[in-house]
């Protein structure tokens, strides 16, 4: 199974062209749209989202992850094996949090290049063919890199920011719920938000936070929109009240 | 074939995670995105939309339908066989109109539960695995329920409201066109709207209603947007002029 | 492989119903979403977009192209073979630019009709079944038409207009980059835009144009949105400065 994690947006020809490559080079392999709207041009926020959602997928899954504002520049292309899953994407920190939480990793700088490589769409021309190779059980040409390669030690273990706002207006933080005390109060948009197990545990219109189905602390409003009620967007700061 | 009918929105990881479950548990079974933007948190309006669109699918199709504002509460999980199709989803009225129009039904309250059930994402953890079982020809553990179970007798047979607005600004009512006299005039957004066979049968900018390709009375403006011209949104009332 | 090129929008049941038809009539054939948001009701702009993006697909691909404001009227249904690819869609100019650039073509007016044909959704009822036949290697009933049939000789070879705006706010013109001098300056939104190889070759916030990964001249702003900075939308005029 190949799961797509990109900031290409839902619209436009980008995801479709990547899937056309995968259909040709890894026929029969299921391709799953995980996120097409990961934090745009923001590998740091995207790294926390990817780590939380990739962990749900079974071993053997290939995560094709492209949040790549530096495309066409000199950043390396990476292939990472971590805890039995494969990750393919640019070297810009996107895999930092996956790596930090991994029990084991193997990191390869991919030196394989396609015959024709556009300057602006490595997702289609480089990363998708590499993902297809991995899905077929082949290894792309590359050079192994040490655990110190491409690290971002200044990034936190959990990110006290909004990293995604969903269709319902729920705002996902980059904080694992298990890293918080059971009674933790989050401050978001100037308001104190207490924990509940689920939406319906609080009155309509009331904000709450809860451990979402992928382990992140998520801020919602029962039968309302947290993004509007608390003025939250990707990048909004969240504070943990003591 | 499994058809997805949800209010998860186009964005975000929800549909993808459901499809990842289906790819693992019902490999090779085609999965169709029917609606990802069914009326949000509105099982009543969604019920009329589902009934109109499910009827187009061939016998044997599994409709995985999740409009589920009560997730995490005590509502039951249902599996319905009606007129040769299977439906899986929450007990909140979402299947009321399908049931009311069915020549035959078999209703089962699903008691099967996964090893790990999140509080907020039963679509992924409960309903998708059940849909996969049905697509494989297996029956989930459950208890048969009588025809009186989970009914909403106060709901009308056709809903004189807008139940969906599409990309073109066309506004779908919850009224079957065949339930209306040929000369029926609809009143929507304060304007009288007469029937035409197709868009191009009226001058540009003129509102019309017609029987859409799934049998619903749909309000449009030739080469314009009915939602803007008549100020229509999901829930807007429609009146049948006599 | 069947690639979908439509103006149905991302939302709603249209693409899903076409895919349900394809899953039944051409099982196992990969179906790729190329554009679901081609220029709405604008076959002329769509024709330039289609020609640029179809050329990337391998021989044998079936392009199912539906931008069809005249649906339900008298326009013909076409099946085109051009340079080894198949195209299915309405006769309204959508294939004009593909045809003009093709080394060889064979054009057929499709006379096959389904048992049940809705007035408003030929994508599902007519074009999708025809695409499935072609994907299976069958030919739909039809009558061959000469190269003079259905032409739009007044349309330019390259369209100096914006034909698409993507998720990042990049604005695609209908001009092939290879048709422009290397030093060409484009005037868009009243500003002079010079060429660069890639985004990062110019300072943040600066507009540039470049040859995109499908050969079109595309206007962008490094780490910004060209649509907002230059007030560009589908249909905006672009001028080539001399």
């Amino acid at each position: 199974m190949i799961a797509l994690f990109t900031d290409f947006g839902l619209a436009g020809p980008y995801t479709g062209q990547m899937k056309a490559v995968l259909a040709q080079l890894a026929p029969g392999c299921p391709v799953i749209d995980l996120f097409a709207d990961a934090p745009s041009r923001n590998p740091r926020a995207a790294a926390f989202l990817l780590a939380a959602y990739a962990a749900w997928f079974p071993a053997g899954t290939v995560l094709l992850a492209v949040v790549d504002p530096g495309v066409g520049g000199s950043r390396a292309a990476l292939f990472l094996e971590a805890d039995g899953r494969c990750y393919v994407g640019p070297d810009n920190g996107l895999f930092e949090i996956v790596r930090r939480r991994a029990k084991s990793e193997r990191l390869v700088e991919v030196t394989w290049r396609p015959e024709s490589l556009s300057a602006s769409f490595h997702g289609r021309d480089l990363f998708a063919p590499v993902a297809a190779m991995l899905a077929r059980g082949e290894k792309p040409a590359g050079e192994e890199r040490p655990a110190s390669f491409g690290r971002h030690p200044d990034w936190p273990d959990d990110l006290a920011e909004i990293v995604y706002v969903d269709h319902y207006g729920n705002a996902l933080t980059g904080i694992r719920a298990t890293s918080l005390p059971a009674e933790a109060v989050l401050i978001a948009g100037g308001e104190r938000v207490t924990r509940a197990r689920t939406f319906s545990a609080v009155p309509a219109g009331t904000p709450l936070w809860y451990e979402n189905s992928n382990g992140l602390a998520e801020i919602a409003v029962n039968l309302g929109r947290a993004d509007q009620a608390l003025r939250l967007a990707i990048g909004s700061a969240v504070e943990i009240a003591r």
Side-chain angles (χ1 to χ4, degrees), chain A residues 109-144:
Chain A
E109 180 173 342
V110 176
T111 54
W112 178 85
R113 289 295 180 274
E115 281 180 38
S116 171
L117 178 64
S118 65
S120 55
F121 197 2
H122 288 196
R124 177 191 73 186
D125 297 337
L126 174 55
F127 297 125
V130 168
M133 287 179 211
L134 294 168
R136 290 192 316 248
E138 298 168 22
K139 301 292 176 205
E143 295 184 13
E144 206 147 333

Side-chain angles (χ1 to χ4, degrees), chain A residues 164-172 199 210 218-229:
Chain A
Y164 190 74
V165 175
D166 79 5
H167 168 67
Y168 303 98
N170 298 345
L172 285 67
F199 310 105
Y210 62 101
E218 179 169 326
I219 298 170
V221 167
N222 185 27
L223 298 175
R225 293 191 65 92
D227 60 342
Q228 292 172 5

Side-chain angles (χ1 to χ4, degrees), chain A residues 129-196:
Chain A
V130 168
M133 287 179 211
L134 294 168
R136 290 192 316 248
E138 298 168 22
K139 301 292 176 205
E143 295 184 13
E144 206 147 333
R145 296 295 178 212
S148 59
F149 184 89
R151 302 313 297 253
H152 294 258
D154 53 316
W155 292 4
D157 285 339
D158 291 271
L159 187 65
E161 280 180 20
I162 301 306
V163 297
Y164 190 74
V165 175
D166 79 5
H167 168 67
Y168 303 98
N170 298 345
L172 285 67
T173 72
I175 307 170
R176 288 165 295 180
T178 52
S179 77
L180 293 172
E183 300 298 303
V185 172
L186 299 181
I187 302 178
E191 286 201 39
R192 296 174 62 87
V193 180
T194 55
R195 186 175 195 155

Side-chain angles (χ1 to χ4, degrees), chain A residues 7 17 23 29 34 58 63 69 87 89-90 118 123-124 159 174 187 195 200-202 225 234 238 241-242:
Chain A
D7 68 349
Q17 288 184 87
C29 181
L34 178 56
L63 278 294
Y87 299 80
S118 65
R124 177 191 73 186
L159 187 65
I187 302 178
R195 186 175 195 155
S200 47
V202 302
R225 293 191 65 92
I234 290 176
V238 173
R242 301 290 165 184

Side-chain angles (χ1 to χ4, degrees), chain A residues 14-108:
Chain A
Y14 307 114
T15 294
Q17 288 184 87
M18 287 215 313
K19 287 186 180 175
V21 169
L22 297 173
Q24 290 174 80
L25 300 183
C29 181
V31 178
I32 300 295
D33 295 290
L34 178 56
F35 282 96
D37 57 346
S40 187
R41 298 165 169 168
N42 186 343
R44 182 168 170 267
F48 290 86
L49 195 64
L50 175 62
Y53 281 80
W56 177 81
F57 282 85
T61 300
V62 177
L63 278 294
L64 172 46
V66 191
V67 175
D68 192 15
V71 65
S74 61
R75 60 102 191 89
L78 296 182
F79 148 48
L80 170 73
E81 274 181 29
D83 293 346
R85 297 178 198 92
C86 292
Y87 299 80
V88 182
D91 175 28
N92 59 17
L94 190 52
F95 301 146
E96 172 66 22
I97 306 306
V98 169
R99 295 177 68 188
R100 211 180 283 182
R101 295 177 189 169
K103 292 188 197 69
S104 66
E105 74 156 39
R106 184 171 161 258
L107 184 71
V108 174

